[in-house]
Amino acid sequence: MAETVASRLSATGTANALELRGVSRLFGALAALTDVTMTVRPGERRAVLGSNGAGKTTLFNCITGDFPPSAGTIRLFGEDVTDFPPHERIRRGLRRTYQISLLFAGLTVLDNVTLACRGVSRGRFSLWRPRRSDPLLTAAQDLVEAVHLTAARDTLVANLSYGQQRQLEIALALAGAPRFVLFDEPAAGLSPTERRELIEILTGLPDHIGYMIIEHDMDVALRVAESVTMMHNGAIFKEGTPAEIEDDEEVQQLYLGGAHGGH
């Protein structure tokens, strides 16, 4: 798995993982995004913060191709993907988690991850159950371990706790050696213990996997990111390191006053 990623990365040279230039998104007369420009380096971990309605989820939808931008360009590892459908962006190494679970409740943890690995492999249309020596099964077991679910490997998803289901969603997003992952509020609804586990999982990911995380819990976001983009009313309000954002007076007035860790 690591060799595949390394070869992909060397093939892309020094291109940025993600480049947005003047991205806007209109819904009728409503501007959900206005002239968003940002650059994310390969392997960078970026948090996107802001109150409800700031444009965070619309930004993710534009990056994934679920809602193409009304204006502007999106480049993924140097390639213009502005007009690409979601599956073409997935083929180029982009993954995403969603706020709503997309899991097979009647299958085990390992079966869910194995299906996800097969879904982004060349043999995705095969109906044969993988053998023990199958590389896909080995990759799936590695992912289950990476998200701290080894003990629940053979548990049906329907019997997992809510926090374990969110951990499983991260494993599914990591299937197929992605190069960049969008995490959509992974800490939502988690207990303090589960949030600590989430921080361990995200900070323990291989260095070559960059990600962008939308998170209302600022404590989680600032611990798993090396750079932060603050959004307000569909536009970028501030950018900086976690320490710079946390200490910024304008950020505190806009976001921390009554919104720290909440909605």
Side-chain angles (χ1 to χ4, degrees):
M1 188 168 75
E3 289 179 2
T4 305
V5 174
S7 61
R8 283 181 183 171
L9 284 176
S10 61
T12 59
T14 57
N16 287 309
L18 183 68
E19 287 185 33
L20 277 63
R21 293 289 175 266
V23 170
S24 298
R25 172 68 197 193
L26 302 175
F27 292 99
L30 173 68
L33 290 178
T34 304
D35 195 25
V36 172
T37 293
M38 70 165 66
T39 300
V40 184
R41 305 181 318 275
E44 182 179 340
R45 281 96 194 264
R46 173 79 61 97
V48 179
L49 303 178
S51 56
N52 279 341
K56 305 183 301 295
T57 298
T58 302
L59 176 69
F60 268 27
N61 287 333
C62 285
I63 295 170
T64 58
D66 292 334
F67 295 158
S70 305
T73 59
I74 298 172
R75 299 181 75 86
L76 191 64
F77 291 95
E79 185 176 12
D80 189 338
V81 299
T82 310
D83 298 320
F84 284 17
H87 70 270
E88 288 294 341
R89 303 181 195 210
I90 290 170
R91 285 184 60 191
R92 284 157 176 80
L94 182 67
R95 301 286 189 277
R96 177 188 184 170
T97 64
Y98 288 84
Q99 292 177 24
I100 302 168
S101 278
L102 301 170
L103 304 172
F104 293 106
L107 298 179
T108 67
V109 166
L110 184 59
D111 284 342
N112 267 266
V113 181
T114 303
L115 277 174
C117 289
R118 175 174 281 172
V120 290
S121 74
R122 290 178 180 174
R124 61 186 177 276
F125 299 118
S126 169
L127 297 177
W128 296 106
R129 190 172 184 84
R131 299 178 180 179
R132 287 182 180 273
S133 60
D134 191 315
L136 283 182
L137 190 56
T138 302
Q141 290 170 335
D142 289 345
L143 289 176
V144 169
E145 183 178 349
V147 297
H148 302 183
L149 286 177
T150 302
R153 187 182 73 174
D154 299 318
T155 303
L156 292 179
V157 168
N159 296 330
L160 295 178
S161 70
Y162 178 76
Q164 288 174 318
Q165 289 188 21
R166 300 310 295 258
Q167 288 168 235
L168 177 55
E169 287 164 8
I170 293 174
L172 301 189
L174 297 175
R179 294 192 282 171
F180 198 74
V181 185
L182 305 175
F183 292 113
D184 197 348
E185 294 196 36
L190 300 188
S191 69
T193 301
E194 290 167 338
R195 287 173 191 229
R196 285 193 294 272
E197 184 120 40
L198 173 68
I199 290 169
E200 283 183 28
I201 291 169
L202 293 181
T203 54
L205 292 179
D207 290 341
H208 60 253
I209 299 179
Y211 59 73
M212 188 179 286
I213 178 172
I214 290 175
E215 190 48 70
H216 270 107
D217 188 317
M218 199 158 176
D219 293 325
V220 170
L222 296 182
R223 288 185 63 184
V224 302
E226 59 194 282
S227 55
V228 182
T229 296
M230 284 287 307
M231 295 189 68
H232 183 58
N233 291 339
I236 291 178
F237 174 63
K238 292 266 182 174
E239 289 191 310
T241 65
E244 288 168 346
I245 292 296
E246 196 167 26
D247 294 338
D248 189 284
E249 287 188 13
E250 286 185 296
V251 170
Q252 290 174 358
Q253 290 171 5
L254 174 71
Y255 190 71
L256 297 183
H260 190 184
H263 296 250

